[in-house]
Amino acid sequence: VLACGSLLYYHCTARNCSLVSLTCDVVIVLVSSLAILGLAFRNFNIAVPVDPLEWQVSEECATSIAACIANTVGATEGVLRVAASGSDYKLFFKVVVFLYLAAAVGRAASGATVTYIG
């Protein structure tokens, strides 16, 4: 993660390269990391506990993930509707302050910096 974040920051600030170049570099880092991990596991005789190709998501898990996303989007929409109607001044000012702070962070730091910090 640190290597990918560093590459993203380097590409976006210093090199000003295209998205294709950035994607290729990130894939190279990920493939190299997986190859090094595979060699380390093979040399130390460590068995990989789960084969990612055999992972399956149950219907119950998929339903709970979809319900969680729907609840989050619905709650966000409800908060924004109440804030936009002006009936709850306290909520309205909270939303305005949050949006102002988000805009200030966006002006003060580049998108690459915020992504790297995240």
Side-chain angles (χ1 to χ4, degrees), residues 3-15:
C4 289
S6 299
L7 272 174
L8 177 67
Y9 186 78
Y10 174 71
H11 269 273
C12 293
T13 58
R15 290 189 59 202

Side-chain angles (χ1 to χ4, degrees), residues 5-25:
S6 299
L7 272 174
L8 177 67
Y9 186 78
Y10 174 71
H11 269 273
C12 293
T13 58
R15 290 189 59 202
N16 293 329
C17 288
S18 67
L19 182 63
V20 173
S21 174
L22 172 67
T23 305
C24 291
D25 280 348

Side-chain angles (χ1 to χ4, degrees), residues 10-117:
Y10 174 71
H11 269 273
C12 293
T13 58
R15 290 189 59 202
N16 293 329
C17 288
S18 67
L19 182 63
V20 173
S21 174
L22 172 67
T23 305
C24 291
D25 280 348
V26 169
V27 170
I28 287 171
V29 168
L30 290 175
V31 168
S32 301
S33 301
L34 290 174
I36 291 170
L37 281 175
L39 286 173
F41 283 170
R42 194 174 305 124
N43 286 336
F44 294 120
N45 294 327
I46 299 173
V48 178
V50 177
D51 184 11
L53 297 176
E54 295 178 5
W55 287 353
Q56 293 181 358
V57 177
S58 68
E59 185 176 340
E60 181 181 329
C61 181
T63 303
S64 68
I65 290 171
C68 179
I69 292 171
N71 288 339
T72 303
V73 169
T76 304
E77 187 266 336
V79 167
L80 292 177
R81 182 186 304 132
V82 170
S85 69
S87 60
D88 187 358
Y89 292 112
K90 196 174 188 180
L91 181 63
F92 174 76
F93 286 117
K94 283 182 185 178
V95 170
V96 168
V97 167
F98 175 77
L99 291 175
Y100 179 77
L101 289 174
V105 167
R107 282 191 305 267
S110 67
T113 304
V114 173
T115 304
Y116 186 71
I117 290 170

